[in-house]
Amino acid sequence: MGLKEFTRDDPIFVNEAVLRDNYRPEELVERDAELSEYQEALRPVINAAPPKNIFLYGQTGVGKTLATRLVLNQLLSDQENYDDLNIEVVNLNCKSASSSYQVSVDLVNQFRDTTEKIPSTGYASSQVYQMLWNHINDLDATHLLVVLDEIDSIGNDDDILYELPRANDNESVDDTLVGVIGISNDFTFRDNLSARVKDSLCDEEIHFPPYDANQLRNILKQRATNAFRDGVLDGDTIPLCSAFSAQESGSARQALKLLYKAGDLARTRDDSEVGESYVREARDLIEKGKVQDELESLPTQSQLTLFSLLQLESEGKTPCKRSDIYERYQVVADLVSSDIVSDRTIHDRISQLRLKGFIQHDERNDGIHGGSYYLYSLDIRQEIVENALQQSNARVSDLFES
Ligand SMILES: Nc1ncnc2c1ncn2[C@@H]1O[C@H](COP(=O)(O)OP(=O)(O)OP(=O)(O)O)[C@@H](O)[C@H]1O
Ligand SMILES: [Mg+2]
């Protein structure tokens, strides 16, 4: 049959780019309370006072990055009304930086032309900080807001989050008032910040909760209007995408991806309507792909933890306590001759797996006798975890033979 001709006609989409993750909408739907909290936290800046440091947190896909861009754009444009303000913003995504040192190098490079960038090794960290202070001083701005998105990548090495907020106090930076906006989707990150950092960084904490199904519906509706041709969406499509995503993660990113994939499937099949069945099919495909990718990149101990829970689940022993998972984990780790790590470490692994959406927990209360505790179970379908684990690293896939 050979190749088909590429043609422009598209029965489903008018503009599919609107559904992509990198599309930047001009409006944040269903986030009025958080936006006003955010604007309130930045009010000192417009009043020419020293900025508060802000820590923004919430699970993945709940609008933290988008909100930040919109709020700061508004601030930058409203400062035009005041002659005594010259606010600058530096925006850094820290995803690929694993230490404070790297973040400080990246920040320095934000101020430099391509030809003058510094390498990510070779300087003492005090030198890098000094370069940073020099650049900030040279800005001649009244305020500098430093946005550190996905800051959880730096883990425990949080020195930069101490130095930046104190840049004015210790006179590293004189005339420019520095404020930091840290953004994280890792809840354990905030808890693990050193006390001195918590003190300086968290003047204001803003939480972005997951979206519920109604909110997701409105977010999707707004996007779908520009993305799809009139009448191609079945009445159940958006509600179903919203319900699935609300149930699984509360993430707008996930909901958008699901809707996009469903439309994409309908197009591939030359269908002129995106019905419910495409949403279900899309969900399966996305889940499989996502789990596969993520599982392959998990450390072995996390894979073993997940395998232990999978076993318990297939034996009908879930939801179960953490101690049950740990007990099973010891057996499993022993089977593959892996190191057996502590209960505490497995607890951390479980928290991470939960944040990634592999595991869910339910709080239980035993009244005065037991206090409260959690019961755990898988948060994705068994066969998906099983498939993915079987295809992941050799050690773990061996477990399926034994
Ligand atoms: N309230 C909203 N209205 C419209 N679109 C939204 C809303 N919230 C999120 N989105 C869209 O969902 C996607 C994810 O949002 P965003 O990147 O802001 O999430 P995030 O909280 O920063 O997630 P992560 O922690 O993974 O970085 C983006 O495509 C964004 O445009
Ligand atoms: Mg983000």
Side-chain angles (χ1 to χ4, degrees):
M1 175 171 115
L3 289 168
K4 284 192 292 188
E5 185 187 353
F6 283 107
T7 54
R8 271 232 172 130
D9 53 323
D10 187 323
I12 301 290
F13 297 107
V14 189
N15 182 6
E16 62 190 285
V18 173
L19 296 173
R20 294 243 170 91
D21 199 42
N22 57 5
Y23 176 76
R24 301 177 161 196
E26 276 158 32
E27 199 190 338
L28 193 70
V29 187
E30 299 281 353
R31 276 295 188 225
D32 289 352
E34 290 76 13
L35 283 178
S36 87
E37 210 180 323
Y38 209 156
Q39 289 200 281
E40 203 48 47
L42 287 167
R43 189 198 286 272
V45 179
I46 208 80
N47 288 335
K52 293 183 183 179
N53 299 303
I54 301 172
F55 188 69
L56 207 68
Y57 67 104
Q59 288 174 29
T60 180
V62 294
K64 301 181 298 295
T65 299
L66 177 60
T68 301
R69 194 175 50 242
L70 294 175
V71 167
L72 291 178
N73 282 347
Q74 178 84 33
L75 179 71
L76 289 177
S77 105
D78 290 345
Q79 71 163 325
E80 304 296 335
N81 300 328
Y82 304 95
D83 291 339
D84 58 345
L85 286 179
N86 175 13
I87 306 167
E88 296 276 348
V89 170
V90 176
N91 219 313
L92 187 68
N93 187 307
C94 307
K95 195 173 5 192
S96 55
S98 59
S99 64
S100 277
Y101 181 80
Q102 269 168 13
V103 171
S104 58
V105 168
D106 289 348
L107 279 174
V108 166
N109 285 332
Q110 291 269 325
F111 293 95
R112 298 188 169 213
D113 293 338
T114 342
T115 52
E116 291 174 345
K117 304 239 187 253
I118 57 170
S120 60
T121 54
Y123 291 96
S125 69
S126 58
Q127 284 176 298
V128 181
Y129 281 127
Q130 193 52 55
M131 292 181 212
L132 184 57
W133 310 142
N134 292 345
H135 283 299
I136 298 177
N137 281 318
D138 288 347
L139 265 182
D140 241 355
T142 55
H143 296 77
L144 174 69
L145 298 175
V146 183
V147 181
L148 301 175
D149 202 350
E150 310 197 22
I151 185 64
D152 38 281
S153 316
I154 64 171
N156 295 329
D157 174 14
D158 57 12
D159 193 51
I160 183 89
L161 295 177
Y162 177 68
E163 296 294 339
L164 267 177
R166 296 187 67 260
N168 295 125
D169 290 345
N170 64 19
E171 294 173 3
S172 310
V173 172
D174 297 322
D175 299 327
T176 302
L177 299 168
V178 179
V180 178
I181 300 177
I183 307 176
S184 165
N185 62 26
D186 181 347
F187 288 72
T188 55
F189 177 71
R190 185 194 169 284
D191 299 338
N192 292 336
L193 286 174
S194 55
R196 58 174 202 162
V197 167
K198 248 183 238 173
D199 266 1
S200 49
L201 178 66
C202 306
D203 292 337
E204 286 288 336
E205 293 187 36
I206 305 176
H207 178 222
F208 276 52
Y211 294 112
D212 66 24
N214 279 329
Q215 293 173 315
L216 288 175
R217 213 184 278 204
N218 289 332
I219 293 170
L220 290 186
K221 265 192 203 148
Q222 193 222 31
R223 217 54 91 81
T225 320
N226 299 322
F228 289 95
R229 293 196 177 281
D230 285 344
V232 302
L233 285 185
D234 180 298
D236 292 331
T237 304
I238 287 185
L240 193 62
C241 288
S242 313
F244 280 150
S245 309
Q247 191 187 343
E248 280 157 22
S249 62
S251 153
R253 180 181 296 118
Q254 183 189 356
L256 284 161
K257 191 166 176 186
L258 188 55
L259 182 62
Y260 185 21
K261 187 76 202 169
D264 203 18
L265 284 171
R267 177 170 59 184
T268 311
R269 308 275 159 76
D270 284 328
D271 211 334
S272 57
E273 195 175 67
V274 188
E276 223 188 272
S277 64
Y278 288 120
V279 178
R280 294 182 194 280
E281 196 180 334
R283 177 177 176 240
D284 270 4
L285 287 171
I286 292 172
E287 210 175 12
K288 279 186 190 139
K290 185 181 117 199
V291 169
Q292 200 77 45
D293 291 351
E294 291 219 27
L295 271 172
E296 281 171 20
S297 62
L298 285 178
T300 307
Q301 298 301 342
S302 299
Q303 293 182 339
L304 294 174
T305 308
L306 200 57
F307 181 84
S308 309
L309 187 61
L310 178 69
Q311 260 195 348
L312 291 165
E313 185 122 339
S314 61
E315 293 162 16
K317 292 182 180 153
T318 52
C320 61
K321 290 191 175 181
R322 200 178 91 205
S323 53
D324 300 327
I325 304 179
Y326 187 63
E327 209 170 277
R328 183 60 60 98
Y329 156 80
Q330 289 173 293
V331 177
V332 165
D334 192 48
L335 268 178
V336 292
S337 324
S338 152
D339 295 338
I340 296 178
V341 298
S342 68
D343 184 26
R344 180 75 223 162
T345 307
I346 293 305
H347 179 57
D348 287 346
R349 298 285 129 203
I350 292 175
S351 305
Q352 265 174 8
L353 288 166
R354 201 172 62 74
L355 286 169
K356 286 184 184 290
F358 294 131
I359 292 182
Q360 60 185 350
H361 73 194
D362 256 328
E363 192 168 4
R364 295 296 161 93
N365 237 302
D366 260 1
I368 45 171
H369 303 300
S372 70
Y373 58 91
Y374 290 113
L375 286 182
Y376 297 88
S377 53
L378 281 181
D379 198 14
I380 33 177
R381 274 168 294 149
Q382 270 186 46
E383 68 269 20
I384 293 181
V385 190
E386 215 166 275
N387 275 336
L389 279 179
Q390 265 170 349
Q391 290 172 34
S392 66
N393 85 46
R395 251 185 186 172
V396 179
S397 57
D398 280 353
L399 282 167
F400 288 89
E401 330 253 276
S402 51

